[in-house]
Amino acid sequence: MLLALIVPAMFQWHVHANSFAPLSSRWQPRVGAGSLPAVLIAIAAVRRLPRWSASLAWPRLLAVTFAAGVAWMASLATVDGWAGISGVLTDHNEYLPTARGVTSVSATLHEFVSRIAATNAHSWTTHVAGHPPGALLFFVLLVAVGLGGGLAAGWTVVLIAATTPLAVLVTLRRLGAGDAARRIAPVLTVGPAAVWLAVSADAVFAAVAAWGLCCLACAATARTGARLVTWGVLAGLLLGYCVLLSYGLVLLAVLAVAVLVAARNFRPIVAAATAALAVVVAFAAAGFSWWQALPVLRERYNSGIASTRPAAYWLWGDLAALCFCAGPIIGASIAAAVQHRRATAARPIVVLTLAAVVSIVLADVSLMSKAETERIWLPFVPWLLLGTALVPESWRRRALISQVALGIAVQTLLVTRW
């Protein structure tokens, strides 16, 4: 993390990421309405969450996790006032302004691929062009139900993002790692990732992915064939839609296989894979072919600013951005997973953590994510942090302090784009 900050400045290396590489941000220290609440919530989380996680009944633990997550994200975002929640989503490069102008979903899907290329006079804005139409359609839905304002859409994203830790905790419990889930709950609830979760569409992607993997775990541990198929189909629908939210989420296949490995049951794979494929085929029938769009996007990406971003920096700079997003505890999480790789009791934690590592490595070496990566790692961050359940409790409590401190520092000292 330090090298990624220092090297470009020391060697005058222009890496094309605003003024504070590896983060897409600029230096602007400030305090605002959410500053004091953020500090108070951080103190309460460090002092109370570990104790509550260990003692509360499971439903209450999930409720507290959700409430604490909402409070933590909202307090950090409102360091910039209400604009901290509404401002990013209304930027002209985001999905919401485009969603407000969609009058026909069918027409949008049929013309989607043709409007990805930057040479098209009516090309999509940056984020819309850079993702499949599932992301845009989510915001089209918000507009249709009356949540198309910046503040309303922002709060919707916050509430959805706060469910991600719940999906991860339920997944672990279904895989027989309920005690580990309790130990990891505080780390999943409060941390620097909240800086980007509160204002980024990728937070929605993370939640859909987490619930898809949760449903897959429910299928793999189901006691009857009917439940296995039902949960498997639901998992496939959610994970299939993830592929229509972001091209990079095809890497969720690695985590999906890891869930089945942890459960020692591959029977749900037929129902899940069939349902996921059905989602992609349904979009193709409606006018958008995923496999036709990806090459067009790659051409736009490589002809744009990505061509000037040096891979020699971003191959490791992206990983530094990941560490800022996940927090410095990520190193201990991965190390603990490797250390306990032969421990039977830690099998679900180890398998899922290392699967997330594999996903990150594959995404990084693809060179399709040079810069702006702190937000795109969000779907993988919770799974990368699972290994912290395997470190000593006293150390984990101290590490939680570093997590919340980094979150407050980033939000207070930097203005992020997401």
Side-chain angles (χ1 to χ4, degrees), residues 42 191 195 209 224 243 331 335:
V195 172
T224 66
V243 176

Side-chain angles (χ1 to χ4, degrees), residues 330-341 346 349-350 353 387-391:
I330 187 176
S333 175
I334 297 171
V338 172
Q339 183 182 26
H340 290 80
R341 65 189 181 278
I349 298 295
V350 171
T353 303
T388 56
L390 304 175
V391 303

Side-chain angles (χ1 to χ4, degrees), residues 48-65 173 182:
R48 300 294 184 182
L49 278 184
R51 186 186 310 169
W52 288 344
S53 297
S55 61
L56 288 177
W58 186 254
R60 290 186 178 181
L61 170 60
L62 296 181
V64 168
T65 298
R173 195 179 193 216
R182 288 181 176 276

Side-chain angles (χ1 to χ4, degrees), residues 182-209:
R182 288 181 176 276
R183 293 195 297 272
I184 199 67
V187 174
L188 296 180
T189 306
V190 292
V195 172
W196 296 277
L197 284 168
V199 294
S200 173
D202 293 77
V204 178
F205 307 169
V208 176

Side-chain angles (χ1 to χ4, degrees), residues 21-413:
L23 303 180
S24 185
S25 61
R26 68 180 187 276
W27 181 264
Q28 186 177 322
R30 65 208 183 283
V31 295
S35 298
L36 180 58
V39 172
L40 295 178
I41 291 170
I43 294 173
V46 170
R47 296 186 62 181
R48 300 294 184 182
L49 278 184
R51 186 186 310 169
W52 288 344
S53 297
S55 61
L56 288 177
W58 186 254
R60 290 186 178 181
L61 170 60
L62 296 181
V64 168
T65 298
F66 176 79
V70 171
W72 175 239
M73 284 187 283
S75 64
L76 288 179
T78 54
V79 166
D80 295 313
W82 290 122
I85 293 179
S86 64
V88 171
L89 293 178
T90 55
D91 182 271
H92 74 281
N93 279 318
E94 289 285 346
Y95 307 95
L96 190 57
T98 301
R100 291 168 180 165
V102 171
T103 57
S104 170
V105 171
S106 177
T108 299
L109 292 177
H110 277 89
E111 66 185 15
F112 199 90
V113 176
S114 65
R115 293 178 62 180
I116 293 176
T119 54
N120 188 319
H122 302 286
S123 65
W124 299 115
T125 57
T126 303
H127 282 191
V128 177
H131 295 78
L136 175 62
L137 294 185
F138 169 76
F139 287 94
V140 170
L141 176 62
L142 292 189
V143 172
V145 299
L147 297 174
L151 195 59
W155 274 112
T156 301
V157 170
V158 168
L159 294 175
I160 292 175
T163 70
T164 301
L166 310 188
V168 177
L169 296 179
V170 173
T171 299
L172 293 180
R173 195 179 193 216
R174 291 301 296 251
L175 295 176
D179 290 340
R182 288 181 176 276
R183 293 195 297 272
I184 199 67
V187 174
L188 296 180
T189 306
V190 292
V195 172
W196 296 277
L197 284 168
V199 294
S200 173
D202 293 77
V204 178
F205 307 169
V208 176
W211 284 109
L213 293 170
C214 179
C215 290
L216 189 60
C218 291
T221 55
R223 296 182 178 180
T224 66
R227 290 183 178 179
L228 183 150
V229 172
T230 301
W231 283 114
V233 169
L234 184 55
L237 293 175
L238 291 172
L239 295 175
Y241 195 73
C242 281
V243 176
L244 277 304
L245 290 171
S246 174
Y247 295 99
L249 290 185
V250 69
L251 293 173
L252 286 173
V254 178
L255 275 164
V257 171
V259 168
L260 300 179
V261 170
R264 302 178 186 269
N265 182 6
F266 283 86
R267 289 184 298 161
I269 197 168
V270 174
T274 301
L277 182 61
V279 174
V280 177
V281 171
F283 267 77
F288 172 80
S289 297
W290 190 94
W291 51 89
Q292 292 179 348
L294 183 58
V296 181
L297 172 63
R298 185 180 292 274
E299 183 177 349
R300 171 170 173 160
Y301 182 79
N302 289 330
S303 63
I305 192 173
S307 62
T308 64
R309 286 173 173 159
Y313 173 79
W314 288 110
L315 273 172
W316 58 278
D318 282 347
L319 301 181
L322 166 65
C323 293
F324 276 100
C325 180
I329 201 173
I330 187 176
S333 175
I334 297 171
V338 172
Q339 183 182 26
H340 290 80
R341 65 189 181 278
R342 300 186 187 281
T344 302
R347 178 183 173 85
I349 298 295
V350 171
V351 170
L352 290 172
T353 303
L354 297 184
V357 172
V358 171
S359 300
I360 291 294
V361 171
L362 292 175
D364 189 44
V365 299
S366 74
L367 294 179
M368 281 291 287
S369 304
K370 291 185 290 184
E372 305 170 10
T373 51
E374 53 270 29
R375 62 183 176 81
I376 70 169
W377 296 134
L378 289 174
F380 302 98
V381 164
W383 310 98
L384 287 165
L385 295 177
L386 297 187
T388 56
L390 304 175
V391 303
E393 180 181 358
S394 59
W395 192 94
R396 189 167 56 250
R397 284 175 177 267
R398 291 193 295 269
L400 186 60
I401 298 175
S402 71
Q403 292 290 100
V404 296
L406 180 61
I408 293 174
V410 169
Q411 184 62 45
T412 302
L413 300 177

